Amino acid sequence: MASSICKHAAFAPSPATFRSTKFPILPVYLIRNGRRPSSAAVFCSLRPHYIPNHIPDPNYVRIFDTTLRDGEQSPGATMTTKEKLDIARQLARLGVDIIEAGFPASSDADFEAVQLIAREFSSADSGLVPVICGLARCNKRDIERSWEAVKHASKPRIHTFIATSQIHMDFKLKMTPGQVVHKATTMVAYARSLGCRDVEFSPEDAGRSDREFLYRILGEVIKAGATTLNIPDTVGYTLPSEFGQLIADIKANTPGIENVIISTHCQNDLGLSTANTIAGAYSGARQVEVTINGIGERAGNASLEEVVMAIKCRGEQALDGLYTGINTQHIIMASKMVEEYSGLRIQPHKAIVGANAFAHESGIHQDGMLKHKNTYEIISPEDIGLLRSNESGIVLGKLSGRHALKAKMLELGYDIDGKELDDLFSRFKAVAGNKKNISDDDLVALVSDEVFQPQTVWKLEDVTCGSLGLSTATVKLIHANGDERISCSVGTGPVDAAYKAVDLVVKVPVTLLEYSMSGVTEGIDAIATTRVLIRGEDSVTATHAYTGESVNRAFRH
Amino acid sequence: MASSICKHAAFAPSPATFRSTKFPILPVYLIRNGRRPSSAAVFCSLRPHYIPNHIPDPNYVRIFDTTLRDGEQSPGATMTTKEKLDIARQLARLGVDIIEAGFPASSDADFEAVQLIAREFSSADSGLVPVICGLARCNKRDIERSWEAVKHASKPRIHTFIATSQIHMDFKLKMTPGQVVHKATTMVAYARSLGCRDVEFSPEDAGRSDREFLYRILGEVIKAGATTLNIPDTVGYTLPSEFGQLIADIKANTPGIENVIISTHCQNDLGLSTANTIAGAYSGARQVEVTINGIGERAGNASLEEVVMAIKCRGEQALDGLYTGINTQHIIMASKMVEEYSGLRIQPHKAIVGANAFAHESGIHQDGMLKHKNTYEIISPEDIGLLRSNESGIVLGKLSGRHALKAKMLELGYDIDGKELDDLFSRFKAVAGNKKNISDDDLVALVSDEVFQPQTVWKLEDVTCGSLGLSTATVKLIHANGDERISCSVGTGPVDAAYKAVDLVVKVPVTLLEYSMSGVTEGIDAIATTRVLIRGEDSVTATHAYTGESVNRAFRH
């Protein structure tokens, strides 16, 4: 496949071989694994055009991101619709092939978010558009809701699942294997009958399912019209060698498997999800399900950044030439956005995207590191966008105008207009007056602080705390209707006192689950972010994807 | 090997077969992999007795913990000597076979910490005593310092290393392969000549070293007297299949390898360290180098808890019966201690020990989970000490006395006496007066808050912040000599203002690297912990283990 070096991928010449097809040219940044381009030069190439059940290039691995569905199931990770749309846009920029946008039947809010994202990617003429996928259990209502939500996308997909391990069939489904096969095939066929040409099926807990039963049910759903078969290691139980063997066995023994795509979905309970995912791809899976920062229930999922960078670094040499279509330079921004919106802080030693991932004891700016760079580093920070080259040449300072701020924010992945832009601009001016260098991190902190917030009911105008003797706090709250209230309270500490003072005014019974505060940028004049996780005592509920239970969702500030 | 169920392992009957040997009976809690005892009953068994270059049971995998050496190289993770000793005691309680206590030649502080830990484990008559190991580069001074520090331990070990990959030999060492072999063999022999019978050798960057050269240098150091050969994947570059093959190749091709122990040391740059470590053990390594929480430079090391639990869960079934001597019920306490002392917060979705590792969206206490327990969980929280059974039966409340507190703290892994106990007791009483239930987490928070702190120079008596208009802060500081100072400052936010106010009094030029605050216990009356990471402008320096550079160390509060 032809590849050329160009500054702006969007203006890359389109190879003639693809001009005659009906499929759009995909002008993505594609950094082929094994080669390391300089940070300035980016290889432009073509992503194979999208056919649900077939990939023209046998070495291409599709990236299926489920940050918005499985990732959002993390305790406390609930995101607003606006935040989800923002992340979806960043995932598209990153070049993911499929975005699992949510579980539409679980709640009205989830339905609306998936629908909004599907409409965002409804353009028929851009090859960059990712597939938009909605989750559904194997029942008609779930599948209908999922289709209603995703059908506006230019490439819609329904993903349906049912458990196939003996323990799940016995205790959760209370169904015989025959009943499970029947349910799966009729529901896959039902999804196709609605007009959805792209249907993914997952046998839940495949890692612990009987092998022969797995071949049987997978063979039957292929006949029923499934185009991707996803093999989840639901409890994160298998070792890489076992998971690789599972994929190889399925590939070797399932009737009709050559007509569909095999996918992996690995949980991280034993810390093996990245290795299992790569083992699966090496054994024949051509779709991998991952999340940004590896978020998800319990110990989370395989993380996009680890899987993508492992394939990029070792694909040519150790994985028979596997590669992905991810533009890795957008990884850091995606990671920061998901960290901020989900409230799930990543640890400093998180591989690829952790604060220390490229730092040595003596700090990331240490001169000495430079001479050892190739001896200790296998990935350049620039490869993942860490020392981002300023593509537009915009450097912001206190004299910068609204237009420059808008352009810069677009570059960082935030599309901001109107009142939001006005608010951001005035905050930006205030910070720029106090701070010499406005870093990208400062801007991201400002955005998440000011713009993507829910509607205000009470605004906290001021809080004063002290602890001479007992801890006390005084708070001043302003209601949306203009009412002002001042209240004070004592407590076991300043946070406790401040919360009690707020409670005296607001009077909504909530449970405080978590409180944390961290500096998001460096230096003594850093911008700090606080995270408060609460659960209302009679609050919004949603349906859990796997257990089917109704759960109280947690909210954060 | 015989195993029996008993309540107190220390009183387990010693099988007669071992009575005749000179080696002490090792009454450790040993939970054999594959079997899951109830949380009340603990399997007691024997750890094979310690011979440096041989393990009597071919399935036993030694756990070499390097939290205090490699882990402490994490940016900002610098610990005090007292904290290191505390962690060493917890590691012994956990049942690790070898503790790498530090790099004695790097600084006087490191030397003293290693020496103190060696003396702590100098008892000749307890089989529980772990090996105490000190790192040394391949030079006489390093090896002498290491020996001086560890020789008081009942089982001392020197660990020496030199790089063997072409890129490191060319650019870092500027030595020929022949010179490297000579250096390695003479230094291993020198370590033995000092009286050390237990010498570990690591060919640094083995993952990228020429295979034939590796066999040659390893064969030579075996002849020179090395007892353990550690194979590091220094840059976290290999895939599990490759790393497993590397260990298998070394085992098959190195002359004399049957007389020594092969070890793994896997960095986590691509998120594959746990999988690589397990692949190494499966291929014949019988020592694995790990850290608590996976801390370490860059993306850290293989984490003890992931490797140990993977072997425990899958050893019998998928790893030909491999097992370790770790008492997994002490994992959570070790994890919390290292998190607190290193200041490196683990992410909520960290496998095994993260806050969400056993939580579903609806929270860890959700009733519904109970009926699904076996369908979704492969590890019980009790297995790692998360819902700790109260072994001593001590429940603390506001009427509890000093004695009960001391006993409870011992159970939690903290040995506290004298003034420290007095201080803790008075803080405990204050909290017990305000809070109905004193949880283990509350106690740990109190301990780390009050007891293990460096000597006070300035004590922060009070701070008051407000932001009506500009952010302001007033602080009251008391010097160790009794002087009181009050100062106030304005700033870009309350943290900035408070720091500036402190600066006006203290006048030590430092750089603030990081500021974070998080609730460490649940609920609105939670105890919070703050983390402040600073680097002095002309501060304490130490030698970096691998680069040999002098680095400024960071300090935290």
Side-chain angles (χ1 to χ4, degrees), chain A residues 237 314 366 515 517 519 549, chain B residues 237 314 366 515 517 519 549:
Chain A
Y237 186 72
R314 309 306 315 287
Q366 182 207 333
Y515 174 82
M517 170 170 155
E549 287 164 341
Chain B
Y237 185 73
R314 309 306 318 284
Q366 183 208 333
Y515 174 82
M517 171 170 154
E549 287 164 344

Side-chain angles (χ1 to χ4, degrees), chain B residues 518-533:
Chain B
S518 38
V520 290
T521 62
E522 274 178 41
I524 203 162
D525 52 354
I527 297 173
T529 172
T530 56
R531 168 172 154 81
V532 178
L533 187 63

Side-chain angles (χ1 to χ4, degrees), chain A residues 168 204 208 237 242 293 298-299 314 317 347 349 356 366 375-376 462 467 515 517 519 524 549, chain B residues 74 168 204 208 237 242 293 298-299 314 317 347 349 356 366 375-376 462 467 496 515 517 519 549:
Chain A
H168 277 246
E204 194 193 346
R208 293 193 297 183
Y237 186 72
E242 293 175 293
N293 297 343
R298 304 193 312 277
R314 309 306 315 287
Q317 196 183 346
Q347 59 202 20
H349 52 296
N356 292 350
Q366 182 207 333
T375 48
Y376 288 101
D462 192 47
S467 55
Y515 174 82
M517 170 170 155
I524 203 162
E549 287 164 341
Chain B
S74 310
H168 278 245
E204 194 193 345
R208 293 193 297 182
Y237 185 73
E242 293 175 294
N293 296 342
R298 304 192 312 276
R314 309 306 318 284
Q317 197 183 344
Q347 60 202 19
H349 52 297
N356 292 351
Q366 183 208 333
T375 47
Y376 288 102
D462 192 49
S467 54
D496 186 37
Y515 174 82
M517 171 170 154
E549 287 164 344

Side-chain angles (χ1 to χ4, degrees), chain A residues 391-411:
Chain A
E391 291 170 26
S392 63
I394 299 168
V395 177
L396 294 184
K398 61 184 173 180
L399 300 176
S400 303
R402 192 178 313 253
H403 205 73
L405 179 65
K406 182 175 162 59
K408 181 72 187 176
M409 293 316 296
L410 253 183
E411 187 190 308

Side-chain angles (χ1 to χ4, degrees), chain B residues 127-142:
Chain B
L128 267 173
V129 166
V131 174
I132 304 301
C133 176
L135 187 70
R137 286 163 297 190
C138 270
N139 67 58
K140 282 193 170 183
R141 181 183 166 274
D142 271 31

Side-chain angles (χ1 to χ4, degrees), chain A residues 38-75:
Chain A
S38 75
S39 61
V42 175
F43 284 90
C44 305
S45 188
L46 292 179
R47 198 198 291 181
H49 64 261
Y50 187 75
I51 307 167
N53 67 334
H54 178 68
I55 304 173
D57 184 336
N59 285 343
Y60 184 82
V61 179
R62 286 179 182 163
I63 300 295
F64 176 113
D65 182 279
T66 183
T67 304
L68 297 176
R69 205 276 303 162
D70 200 330
E72 214 228 0
Q73 282 185 0
S74 310

Side-chain angles (χ1 to χ4, degrees), chain A residues 72-78 167-168 171-172 204-205 208 234-240 242 268-272 274-275 278 293-300 306 309-310 313-314 317-319 344-352 356-363 366 368-369 371-372 374-379 434 461-468 476 492 495-496 499-500 503 512-513 515-519 522-526 535 544 546-547 549 551-554, chain B residues 72-78 167-168 171-172 204-205 208 234-240 242 268-272 274-275 278 293-300 306 309-310 313-314 317-319 344-352 356-363 366 368-369 371-372 374-379 434 461-468 476 492 495-496 499-500 503 512-513 515-519 522-526 535 544 546-547 549 551-554:
Chain A
E72 214 228 0
Q73 282 185 0
S74 310
T78 315
I167 184 169
H168 277 246
F171 295 100
K172 197 178 73 169
E204 194 193 346
D205 206 17
R208 293 193 297 183
T234 306
V235 291
Y237 186 72
T238 58
L239 301 182
E242 293 175 293
N268 197 38
D269 293 72
L270 292 175
L272 296 169
T274 299
I278 291 166
N293 297 343
I295 67 170
E297 275 206 304
R298 304 193 312 277
E306 293 175 8
M309 293 311 290
C313 290
R314 309 306 315 287
Q317 196 183 346
L319 296 167
L344 298 169
R345 299 274 158 233
I346 55 172
Q347 59 202 20
H349 52 296
K350 168 75 178 70
I352 312 293
N356 292 350
F358 292 95
H360 290 249
E361 154 68 22
S362 37
Q366 182 207 333
M369 181 57 202
K371 70 169 183 275
H372 298 300
N374 295 321
T375 48
Y376 288 101
E377 278 188 7
I378 54 169
I379 301 168
N434 286 321
E461 178 73 4
D462 192 47
V463 55
T464 310
C465 304
S467 55
L468 282 164
K476 182 175 173 185
T492 53
V495 177
D496 186 36
Y499 266 80
K500 283 180 173 155
D503 278 354
L512 177 66
L513 300 178
Y515 174 82
S516 65
M517 170 170 155
S518 39
E522 273 178 43
I524 203 162
D525 53 353
R535 183 181 298 136
H544 190 281
Y546 295 136
T547 64
E549 287 164 341
V551 295
N552 275 327
R553 309 219 72 171
Chain B
E72 214 227 0
Q73 284 186 0
S74 310
T78 315
I167 185 169
H168 278 245
F171 295 100
K172 196 178 72 166
E204 194 193 345
D205 205 16
R208 293 193 297 182
T234 305
V235 290
Y237 185 73
T238 59
L239 301 182
E242 293 175 294
N268 197 38
D269 294 65
L270 291 175
L272 297 169
T274 299
I278 290 166
N293 296 342
I295 66 171
E297 275 205 306
R298 304 192 312 276
E306 293 176 8
M309 294 311 290
C313 291
R314 309 306 318 284
Q317 197 183 344
L319 296 168
L344 298 170
R345 300 273 159 234
I346 55 173
Q347 60 202 19
H349 52 297
K350 168 76 178 69
I352 313 293
N356 292 351
F358 292 96
H360 290 250
E361 154 68 22
S362 38
Q366 183 208 333
M369 181 58 202
K371 70 169 185 275
H372 298 300
N374 294 323
T375 47
Y376 288 102
E377 277 187 9
I378 53 169
I379 301 169
N434 285 322
E461 179 73 4
D462 192 49
V463 56
T464 310
C465 304
S467 54
L468 282 164
K476 182 174 172 187
T492 53
V495 176
D496 186 37
Y499 267 79
K500 282 182 174 152
D503 277 355
L512 177 67
L513 299 178
Y515 174 82
S516 64
M517 171 170 154
S518 38
E522 274 178 41
I524 203 162
D525 52 354
R535 184 181 298 137
H544 190 280
Y546 296 136
T547 64
E549 287 164 344
V551 294
N552 275 326
R553 307 218 75 171

